Amino acid sequence: MTTPPEVKYTSTSLSLSSLITCFISCFVIVSCLLEGLCVTSKANALSQSATLSLDPLLWDHVVDLNEDFRILWKIINQDITFEIQARTLGYVGFGFSPDGNFAGSDIAIGWVDKGQTYFQDRHIKRNGDPEPIVDPSQDYILMWGYENRTHTVLRFRRKLDTCDPAHDIAITNDTMRLLYMYNERDPPHGSVKPGHLPNPASSFRPYRPIVLTQRPHIQFKHEEYVRILELRNEDVELPGADETLIWCKTFKLDDMKRKHHLIRYEPIYDSPASVHNLQHITLRECHGMHQELEEMAREQGRQCMGARDIPLACNAIVASWSRGSNSFTFPDETGYPMESRQAKYYLMETHYNNLQPDLTQLHANRQMADNSGLKIYFTHVLRRHDAGVLSIGE
């Protein structure tokens, strides 16, 4: 039998194997390159997005004056920079009132129309006309402005004291009465003539008291071991025009079997009407087991006339909030000591005052009862130091 000729596949097999290996290697390399390019592109896109979303100006404070109007601000030396973010595509206004009324107010007005930003430093005369008129001296400086599909955003700056007492109000350490307004329409063609601002009287909102120069907030991280307790008044009838009410309500906190630290407190506003009626809130610590304290803790609360109606046992102040301020956070190494064996009763003294400014007359809905108070944050994880409160005066 003739042996068939030997067929040598070795060389051909090696070449095919090498070709396949080369093809696979090239595919892997190309895939890696493409994947790397894709990852790089995604990283660049995320980086650019993050860069665009970061604001080079770090704000010290952010406050929502209502659900449609937010202000942000920062103070550097003698300059203060504001940003307004308002849910409207019409004009907006922001400024200061000397007493909560229209007359004598200092206000900046701005809007965006067809991509053009208009911005003017204005004031309101003392003759009762609510339309702001343009100042001879423009002391509010526009930095930029724009609008999207829902909001108008304006950023501007001014001096704390513009040295224009005839038309501007100086920003001081006192509580400032913030005036703000917004409308769904723009003035026609950037006009500054009297009567061209659409419906100025109905565009104003009730003023908001705020201390603009208060220190920046300490960053507060709500850990899982931090407990929250709301101390609220119960259906307090708000005072009428130009009337004052001091209300005292006692709380019994008998579940702190061991020492805790109070580390933060902040006001609780029951409604927008509360903002304009609350003057200050003081939380007092009551020592001892007096029958009067037990009876007061079972009550809804009572009207009190200051120190003479407050039990002598409740003379230690734990927390104090005043109109225009926000929350208070203790430094990281400090907390105010609270323990039921030392103090079981706490008295909250709330001062209401209804000045009834003309701005509130624009809005007929008025709350008649209030349930505002203080929210306190405390923890059993003790800090290094106990805090105390020094009271000076009556």
Side-chain angles (χ1 to χ4, degrees), residues 263-292:
I263 59 176
R264 175 184 169 91
Y265 59 85
E266 61 190 41
I268 302 172
Y269 296 113
D270 187 36
S271 76
S274 304
V275 177
H276 303 284
N277 283 274
L278 284 173
Q279 293 296 314
H280 59 255
I281 302 175
T282 302
L283 183 65
R284 299 173 179 270
E285 190 177 61
C286 305
H287 295 273
M289 293 292 295
H290 303 279
Q291 183 62 30
E292 181 185 10

Side-chain angles (χ1 to χ4, degrees), residues 18 38 40 43 79 81 89 101 122 137 146 195 225 244 255 275 280 292 322 360 367 384 386 391:
S18 300
C38 183
T40 303
D79 290 334
T81 301
L89 299 182
N101 297 315
R122 299 193 180 201
S137 174
Y146 70 91
Y225 52 79
T244 296
D255 60 343
V275 177
H280 59 255
E292 181 185 10
S322 61
T360 60
Q367 180 192 17
R384 183 178 179 183
D386 287 348
S391 301

Side-chain angles (χ1 to χ4, degrees), residues 235-256:
D235 296 331
V236 179
E237 184 176 351
L238 294 177
D242 299 325
E243 295 181 359
T244 296
L245 172 66
I246 301 176
W247 191 261
C248 291
K249 181 172 176 58
T250 303
F251 301 88
K252 184 178 181 180
L253 308 181
D254 55 358
D255 60 343
M256 295 186 186

Side-chain angles (χ1 to χ4, degrees), residues 341-389:
R341 290 182 299 177
Q342 300 297 325
K344 185 178 295 186
Y345 299 95
Y346 291 82
L347 185 145
M348 186 171 70
E349 177 188 354
T350 306
H351 185 172
Y352 296 94
N353 190 2
N354 183 11
L355 299 177
Q356 199 74 13
D358 58 7
L359 296 181
T360 60
Q361 299 292 344
L362 299 175
H363 304 271
N365 295 330
R366 180 174 176 270
Q367 180 192 17
M368 299 305 296
D370 182 71
N371 295 274
S372 298
L374 284 179
K375 180 186 293 186
I376 64 174
Y377 298 73
F378 58 100
T379 175
H380 66 276
V381 180
L382 300 181
R383 296 182 169 185
R384 183 178 179 183
H385 301 292
D386 287 348
V389 177

Side-chain angles (χ1 to χ4, degrees), residues 112-131:
V112 180
D113 186 10
K114 298 178 181 178
Q116 175 68 40
T117 301
Y118 298 87
F119 187 80
Q120 299 143 0
D121 181 4
R122 299 193 180 201
H123 67 278
I124 301 177
K125 291 184 176 181
R126 296 186 178 275
N127 60 5
D129 185 353
E131 181 173 1

Side-chain angles (χ1 to χ4, degrees), residues 47-334:
S47 176
Q48 292 174 2
S49 175
T51 302
L52 291 174
S53 66
L54 289 176
D55 195 324
L57 188 66
L58 299 178
W59 301 105
D60 288 338
H61 303 279
V62 179
V63 172
D64 291 331
L65 299 183
N66 68 10
E67 64 275 9
D68 297 321
F69 202 103
R70 169 175 291 181
I71 62 166
L72 309 90
W73 74 93
K74 182 180 182 66
I75 298 176
I76 301 178
N77 298 325
Q78 295 302 309
D79 290 334
I80 183 167
T81 301
F82 293 100
E83 182 168 298
I84 295 173
Q85 300 172 359
R87 194 192 308 273
T88 182
L89 299 182
Y91 73 87
V92 300
F94 172 80
F96 310 99
S97 167
D99 53 12
N101 297 315
F102 287 129
S105 294
D106 166 26
I107 190 166
I109 303 290
W111 66 93
V112 180
D113 186 10
K114 298 178 181 178
Q116 175 68 40
T117 301
Y118 298 87
F119 187 80
Q120 299 143 0
D121 181 4
R122 299 193 180 201
H123 67 278
I124 301 177
K125 291 184 176 181
R126 296 186 178 275
N127 60 5
D129 185 353
E131 181 173 1
I133 61 176
V134 178
D135 287 7
S137 174
Q138 293 291 297
D139 298 306
Y140 287 74
I141 309 301
L142 177 69
M143 300 174 69
W144 51 262
Y146 70 91
E147 66 180 17
N148 55 25
R149 290 183 297 178
T150 59
H151 284 68
T152 296
V153 179
L154 298 173
R155 181 179 295 183
F156 54 93
R157 59 181 173 83
R158 57 159 281 180
K159 295 289 185 181
L160 294 176
D161 187 351
T162 64
C163 298
D164 183 13
H167 305 109
D168 293 340
I169 294 178
I171 297 174
T172 66
N173 293 331
D174 293 333
T175 298
M176 304 296 296
R177 296 171 178 87
L178 270 57
L179 207 60
Y180 67 108
M181 62 190 304
Y182 53 96
N183 191 280
E184 61 183 12
R185 295 165 53 200
D186 289 332
H189 311 299
S191 175
V192 298
K193 296 180 180 179
H196 281 210
L197 203 64
N199 304 317
S202 62
S203 299
F204 278 101
R205 301 306 190 266
Y207 80 92
R208 179 76 176 268
I210 290 182
V211 179
L212 292 173
T213 57
Q214 60 188 310
R215 65 174 183 171
H217 295 309
I218 297 176
Q219 190 67 30
F220 178 71
K221 186 177 181 181
H222 188 180
E223 304 286 358
E224 59 181 10
Y225 52 79
V226 176
R227 296 171 59 189
I228 298 177
L229 180 63
E230 292 190 353
L231 305 176
R232 288 179 175 264
N233 288 304
E234 185 178 348
D235 296 331
V236 179
E237 184 176 351
L238 294 177
D242 299 325
E243 295 181 359
T244 296
L245 172 66
I246 301 176
W247 191 261
C248 291
K249 181 172 176 58
T250 303
F251 301 88
K252 184 178 181 180
L253 308 181
D254 55 358
D255 60 343
M256 295 186 186
K257 305 302 182 183
R258 55 175 172 165
K259 182 178 178 181
H260 288 69
H261 267 159
L262 169 68
I263 59 176
R264 175 184 169 91
Y265 59 85
E266 61 190 41
I268 302 172
Y269 296 113
D270 187 36
S271 76
S274 304
V275 177
H276 303 284
N277 283 274
L278 284 173
Q279 293 296 314
H280 59 255
I281 302 175
T282 302
L283 183 65
R284 299 173 179 270
E285 190 177 61
C286 305
H287 295 273
M289 293 292 295
H290 303 279
Q291 183 62 30
E292 181 185 10
L293 296 176
E294 181 65 28
E295 293 175 357
M296 292 177 66
R298 296 175 182 176
E299 295 178 352
Q300 178 181 352
R302 63 174 68 172
Q303 184 174 356
C304 52
M305 299 303 295
R308 66 184 183 184
D309 287 338
I310 295 176
L312 292 176
C314 306
N315 59 359
I317 295 178
V318 176
S320 181
W321 170 88
S322 61
R323 186 174 189 173
S325 60
N326 295 315
S327 61
F328 178 83
T329 302
F330 286 91
D332 290 340
E333 68 277 7
T334 306

